[in-house]
Amino acid sequence: MKINTFFAAALLLCACSQVKTDLDKYGLNCKAEEITLQSDTLEFPYTVRFNSDGQVLQVETMNFDLSPRYTETYSYDSRGRLVQISGVNSDSEDEARYEYEYDGKFIRECRMYGMNNQEVHRWVHTNDGRHIVRTEYYNEGEFTYATAKTFKGNTYKEVSTNPDGEQLGTADVTFLTEEKPRSIKSDNLEIEISYNEKGLPTMSRGTLLNSIGEMEWASNLEQYPCRYYNYEYDERGNWISRAESVHPDSTAYSVLHRIIRYQK
């Protein structure tokens, strides 16, 4: 994610706050063994492998020439909860590691360690039994900011504060699910996203969305604030082609293709 706001960052952190499969994240309506994304522009190609429960086991990201770039390996506990993501670069060097601790089904704490095995980032969550309602962020062990959310139906208001409790900003968020925002509005940010009946994004305003729906930024968003996404599907109803354009009827400037291998 490349949007530099506390609100969007905390929103995406909710995506892994409970135990669940990764099917919806990858736009799947059934379990698969493997997805390979073919791309030569904008997004690096990758292959993601799943376990029998529909959770990610490994993501191998390639350069555009298909040489190795980065590999992430996912580990789970006996309850199916994600406990670690380990990342290595193309030279097989450890580059980043995420570790997760839980409060029941919710992530209580996430720590990210760098190449020297020192903690770089830490997120500490508080839940009310239904939602993550507070997140504290620490950079290299130093408390940097906190966000608090107040939920009402499919909306919430988020307030960010500095370590002294002084307000940094607010945001109003409406969502399809907590992982899929419909709108994010704050003093310096206004994002709108539309979805089809499959839960796939069809339009985004103020942001780009990559192949798994993560928000990204582009220098031409001011000139072309909207992106439109059109899909082709396989016989099981999962998308295998996504065309991206700046107008509803304009020629696509980027087309992603997926090869899906299903579990037997």
Side-chain angles (χ1 to χ4, degrees):
M1 186 192 68
K2 301 175 184 176
I3 296 175
N4 187 23
T5 68
F6 300 122
F7 322 116
L11 175 75
L12 291 182
L13 284 172
C14 290
C16 57
S17 62
Q18 298 191 48
V19 179
K20 56 185 178 58
T21 73
D22 292 303
L23 300 181
D24 189 58
K25 177 180 178 180
Y26 284 89
L28 292 170
N29 59 26
C30 61
K31 293 179 182 179
E33 286 188 3
E34 183 178 284
I35 295 175
T36 296
L37 181 81
Q38 298 176 330
S39 169
D40 57 9
T41 57
L42 299 182
E43 183 171 357
F44 288 111
Y46 60 77
T47 295
V48 56
R49 299 179 179 88
F50 301 87
N51 62 21
S52 59
D53 294 321
Q55 297 171 307
V56 171
L57 283 176
Q58 188 179 71
V59 180
E60 292 184 358
T61 303
M62 285 77 74
N63 294 303
F64 291 125
D65 63 3
L66 299 185
S67 59
R69 181 177 179 84
Y70 195 74
T71 300
E72 292 179 326
T73 301
Y74 293 62
S75 301
Y76 301 88
D77 65 14
S78 60
R79 297 174 60 180
R81 301 180 302 188
L82 178 66
V83 292
Q84 183 172 283
I85 302 175
S86 300
V88 298
N89 61 28
S90 58
D91 295 322
S92 298
E93 299 170 329
D94 294 336
E95 193 161 300
R97 186 178 79 257
Y98 291 83
E99 294 184 353
Y100 301 86
E101 297 179 6
Y102 287 81
D103 175 10
K105 64 182 180 180
F106 286 89
I107 290 175
R108 179 179 66 233
E109 195 166 296
C110 170
R111 297 173 182 258
M112 182 272 187
Y113 299 87
M115 294 183 70
N116 58 1
N117 205 35
Q118 296 295 310
E119 179 186 308
V120 180
H121 306 292
R122 175 164 33 116
W123 297 267
V124 180
H125 301 306
T126 302
N127 73 81
D128 64 359
R130 297 182 61 192
H131 306 284
I132 295 291
V133 294
R134 178 178 169 84
T135 298
E136 297 178 355
Y137 169 69
Y138 297 78
N139 181 261
E140 297 183 345
E142 183 177 350
F143 179 34
T144 305
Y145 68 85
T147 64
K149 300 183 181 70
T150 303
F151 286 82
K152 183 177 181 180
N154 64 340
T155 67
Y156 64 79
K157 187 177 188 67
E158 183 169 78
V159 178
S160 65
T161 54
N162 66 18
D164 295 324
E166 298 169 335
Q167 184 171 299
L168 298 173
T170 64
D172 293 294
V173 180
T174 300
F175 55 86
L176 179 66
T177 67
E178 286 185 56
E179 298 85 0
K180 295 181 177 181
R182 289 187 180 276
S183 67
I184 305 174
K185 295 182 180 181
S186 67
D187 291 340
N188 63 348
L189 182 71
E190 187 164 345
I191 288 173
E192 294 182 14
I193 302 173
S194 299
Y195 300 89
N196 63 15
E197 69 282 355
K198 294 177 180 290
L200 298 173
T202 55
M203 187 280 294
S204 60
R205 182 190 303 273
T207 185
L208 279 69
L209 299 174
N210 66 14
S211 62
I212 57 174
E214 293 174 336
M215 293 183 289
E216 297 186 349
W217 178 85
S219 58
N220 65 350
L221 274 173
E222 185 173 344
Q223 181 181 7
Y224 301 108
C226 292
R227 295 296 187 274
Y228 297 87
Y229 311 95
N230 292 287
Y231 303 88
E232 294 180 3
Y233 304 92
D234 64 12
E235 66 279 359
R236 300 199 187 192
N238 293 310
W239 75 265
I240 53 175
S241 176
R242 190 189 84 163
E244 184 174 330
S245 58
V246 296
H247 298 290
D249 301 319
S250 63
T251 301
Y253 68 87
S254 173
V255 180
L256 302 176
H257 298 278
R258 299 201 308 182
I259 298 173
I260 304 173
R261 188 173 70 187
Y262 292 101
Q263 297 182 10
K264 298 179 179 179

